[in-house]
Structures are given as C-alpha cells and as structure tokens.
Amino acid sequence: MGLTDIKSMFKQELAKNLTYAGYQAYRAEQIYLWLVKGANSFEEMQNIPKDLRKYLSKNYYIANAKIERVFISKDGTKKYLFKLSDGEFIESVLMKYNYGYTVCISTQVGCKMGCKFCATGMSGFDRNLTASEMLSQIQAIQADNSIRISNIVLMGMGEPLDNYENVVRFLKLVSAEDNLNVGMRHISLSTCGIIDKIYDLAKENFQLTLSVSLHAPNDLIRNSLMSINKKFKIEELLKACRIYIEKTNRRISFEYAMISDVNDSIECAQELAKKLYGMLCHVNLIPTNSIDFDGFYYKKSNRFKIEKFVEILSKYKINATVRRTLGADINASCGQLRKNIKKEGGHHANIC
Ligand code: SAH
Ligand code: SF4
C-alpha cells in the first residue's frame, strides 16, 4: 500500500489515525506543529519518540516543493519555479503590496482548458496538485524570504475548479487557525467558469473572493478564446455568478484580458456593461501579456482603448480597474517557464 500524504490531513484526521494505531492523540498536535513549520522529514521531529517517527515514515510521506529557480523582477516580484517529488515543474509568484505579501499559487501541473491566450493552457495537462503541494508552495516562499504571506490567489497554473476536492481541502487547511491561518477574506480563487463547480462552491459558503475569467462580452468572441465556453455559455455562467453572489453575499471579480482588436472595442464595452448591469461585481481589466502560439498572435490593447473601456463601464455604474502589471520583465504570468522546460526536456530555459 502506498504512503499517506500527511500534510493534506486535518489535525483531527491524523489524531484519529494515530489513536487507532495505539499512539496518544496529543502526538498529532506535536506532529502537526512540525508540518505547519515546514518540516521536510520525520527525523527532524525531535520531541517525537523514535518508534513513532519510524511508524510515521513507514506509513506517511511529507510533500514538498523544491525551489528550482527564482526570477527577480525590478519591482521586487519574484517568480518561483518549483520541482515536485515526481520531477514535475510548477510556478508560483510572490508580489509585495503595501498591505502585505501576496502569493499566486498553482493548482495543477498544466491545465486541460486550452485557452488560446494562455501559456499554461498551451502546454497541456499532466496532473492535479494535492492540497499539500499547494501548501508547500506557500511554505517554501515564506521560508525563502523569512516573511509571512497574508494573501493568496489561486491564479497560477491550472484550473482550480477542475481539481475541486483538493482545492477545497487546501482552502480549509490554509485558513485553519492551527495551520497557516490565512483568512478566507484574504484568498481569491480564479476560474474559467466551470459552472457546476461554481454551484458547489457556493454551497461551501466560503468568504473568499471568486474571480471569473470572462474575457469576452458574448459567446462568439468567448468561443474563439476559451473552449470552456463551448460547454458553458455566457448566459449560464452569469446566472451561476448571480446565484453565487446571492448565496455568499460576496462580490465577484470578473477578469477581462484586454486583447487588441479582439475584445477591446467600444461595442464590446457596452455589451459587457449591459450584461453585468446591476450585479454585485468588479471588473478587473488586464493588459494581456502578448502571446504568440501556433499561428495565433495576441497583442495587448493600447492605453487609450483600456481607458475608454473603463469609462464606458463606469457610465453603467460598473466598478472597473486596470490591473497593475507586476513582474512584467520576468514574464510573471504563469506557464511560460514550465512550457520552456518541457520543450528542453527538463533543462533550464533562460527566459529572462
Ligand atoms: N484557470 C484559472 C486560473 C489560472 S489563470 C482561470 O483561468 O481563471 C489566471 C488568470 O490569468 C486568468 O484570468 C487568465 O485568464 C489570465 N491569463 C492567462 N493568460 C494570460 C495572458 N496571456 N494575459 C493576461 N491574462 C492571462
Ligand atoms: Fe487554464 Fe486558466 Fe490558462 Fe485557461 S486561462 S488555460 S483555464 S490556466
């Protein structure tokens, strides 16, 4: 039988397992403290008796994410390339804002969704991440910088709602007082819009911020950018968003990557404004990171078009802001590093 992933367990689950195996429950408390502190082996756990440590290493493993490379931007943003225990690579980004440190984590190795403008989507899917691998990205970045992360965004590689069980477990773990204790209000989850999972998430009633990657005001444009739209149309998606807002009483943030001559016209702004009118939401306009794949070339919209877009949305009383682009010089949006590494058969790709 394979080893159990101890860092993905809740303390109560570990206590139950240990008492079943004949150990005292308070040992779970001690072991858990080590795991939260970022221990990478059972041998380090000095206050745990030798026989229990031996029992642990026979039955459990401690997941981790090893820093393979760090890219540092002029603005202080750091991009991490992590190697997982099976040799897979993932990326995370650390950003410093005046209210604290935010880390953008990956939820999958790659992504199945295949959005046309996304480096992760273009490099295919390998596997889901475990809750412990999501926690490990945060722990490794905290340790590397001797800081405490105050905000988390699930906006790195992968589609969080396509890895629903592990992501929900991660959210419960990371926000628990006896774990990393990052409050749900300091967590954002971004999805391309897997509707049935949005309904499931609404039932969890988490106080996190849900970001929905909309990127288009109608099905025609969205179909050309995001294949998920062939399954779930915009009207259905917006209906799910309205129900989500009603259930959780939380504002939704719509992500809208401004792509030159694709979705940035005045007509697009008006159509979007009409569709979102009256909704408890915010629109986050992202100047697209230009991407060139297999004959597609997506270019970022110019400043004037973005300003006009904001102006039109504001006329309809829709709150819209333009995302500050941090780490532009290190290609901080996720997927590019892994894509290059895959191309080179696991060797480093120097993209900086
Ligand atoms: N899979 C999730 C979360 C990861 S992608 C999602 O799609 O929401 C995080 C965000 O980056 C999404 O809003 C995504 O649309 C956006 N994104 C991907 N590639 C981009 C690019 N080239 N330029 C700007 N935003 C991009
Ligand atoms: Fe996946 Fe999100 Fe990229 Fe689309 S934008 S391919 S859902 S990571």
Side-chain angles (χ1 to χ4, degrees), residues 226-240:
M226 305 172 75
S227 36
I228 187 76
N229 202 70
K230 299 201 173 115
K231 186 162 179 204
F232 301 119
K233 300 284 172 254
I234 288 195
E235 270 321 306
E236 291 171 66
L237 175 58
L238 293 182
K239 184 178 160 209

Side-chain angles (χ1 to χ4, degrees), residues 111-115 117-118 120-122 156-159 192 215 226:
C111 184
K112 290 178 209 156
M113 303 298 145
C115 302
F117 48 83
C118 173
T120 304
M122 290 293 111
M157 288 166 50
E159 167 49 48
C192 64
H215 304 320
M226 305 172 75

Side-chain angles (χ1 to χ4, degrees), residues 156-218:
M157 288 166 50
E159 167 49 48
L161 298 188
D162 185 44
N163 183 14
Y164 189 82
E165 302 289 323
N166 289 330
V167 163
V168 164
R169 181 168 273 269
F170 161 76
L171 292 169
K172 289 179 179 168
L173 283 168
V174 80
S175 60
E177 271 178 35
D178 58 12
N179 206 300
L180 295 186
N181 197 15
V182 178
M184 283 284 184
R185 284 179 182 265
H186 297 273
I187 302 177
S188 297
L189 183 154
S190 179
T191 177
C192 64
I194 302 183
I195 291 180
D196 44 334
K197 299 296 175 195
I198 293 180
Y199 285 115
D200 288 347
L201 195 67
K203 284 190 214 130
E204 301 279 352
N205 206 10
F206 291 145
Q207 291 300 292
L208 52 74
T209 300
L210 181 66
S211 293
V212 174
S213 300
L214 198 57
H215 304 320
N218 57 49

Side-chain angles (χ1 to χ4, degrees), residues 9-26 28-29 55 60:
M9 294 175 84
F10 297 111
K11 194 160 72 187
Q12 302 84 313
E13 290 173 330
L14 182 60
K16 203 171 145 203
N17 280 10
L18 289 185
T19 44
Y20 188 73
Y23 295 98
Q24 286 176 293
Y26 82 94
E29 191 95 34
Y55 169 80
Y60 297 92

Side-chain angles (χ1 to χ4, degrees), residues 73-75 77 289 300 324-333:
S73 158
K74 286 200 257 337
D75 62 28
T77 300
N289 294 302
K300 101 168 38 126
R324 197 154 61 100
T325 41
L326 288 179
D329 54 331
I330 55 162
N331 218 329
S333 72

